[in-house]
Amino acid sequence: MNEKTITNYIDEQQWLDDAGNALQPAIIKAYKSGGEAGQKLKNFMHGTWLGHPLHPVITDVPVGAYTATAVLDVLELAGHNKYSAGADVTLAVGLVGALGSAATGLTDWSATSGKGRKVGLVHGLLNVGATALYATSFFLRRGKGSRNTAIGLALVGYGISAAAAYLGGHLVFGEQIGVDHTATAAEYPVDFIAVLPENELADNSMRCVQAGEVPVLLARKNNKIFAIAHTCSHFGGPLSEGDLLENCSVRCPWHGSVFSLEDGSVINGPASEPQPKFDVRINNGQIEVRKAT
Ligand code: FES
């Protein structure tokens, strides 16, 4: 079975939609109930402060630690008992890292939909299963006579983690979750290019225009004109269809990311990458933009 067959099979599972419909709003509601602090925590989990999703950074901890555990466990099974303490420590590190991975992963997953949401849910469930096996292994390692069982459970957990990681790869490379959707093959104009007559952009309004091949969001707020990339970095949402906010920012219509119009920076996630910014000038009654210098 190849990757497409597996993920298409997952996509056909209606129960995953039902489970997603129940779980996703609960996560969103939990963050909302925390007010401003909840929003800050959500931003932290998404990685808006990092300029990159936090989840793939954190997942390196359990993946690396569990790999070390597997190697040390196999050495122990081969008769090298001196590695047993090391295996227990790396397993503990992996379990702590798994908590961070789960928290960041669930947060990112709360802003997914369709096939990505279903595959993401299976990815998460596999990791929960692996973590349960690892946690059981951790406690069994302390008991006399159960060490080989504990090692066996950890090795099964490692196999399940590998399957989860495989789906995680599909989420990024197949479903484009966590990639910067403003990273386009189209050339950003380095010289000023006319995009709209100035009198066609009313104050307190915004619209999408083309700068060559690149869609640009033009916004006029308090009679100042701003230009940032129109395609939302999070998942490609059309920013001109979102909300122009009072604090010179724009909210994406798809998952609510908020970007500063001044510099394209992320104010609220789920986006973690900023919107590219454009320089703006008025020339002969035309609004002209170019890639910010
Ligand atoms: S596409 Fe998700 S917040 Fe814009």
Side-chain angles (χ1 to χ4, degrees), residues 111 232-239 252-257 259 269-271:
C232 178
S233 66
H234 174 241
F235 208 62
L239 291 186
C252 177
W254 284 7
H255 310 107
S257 289
F259 301 95

Side-chain angles (χ1 to χ4, degrees), residues 45 54-63 66 93-109 123-124 127 131:
M45 293 292 181
L54 182 58
H55 181 61
V57 178
I58 301 282
T59 56
D60 283 359
V61 176
V63 168
Y66 290 157
V93 171
L95 285 169
V96 172
L99 290 178
S101 291
T104 53
L106 266 178
T107 308
D108 286 350
W109 177 80
H123 166 77
N127 277 319
T131 302

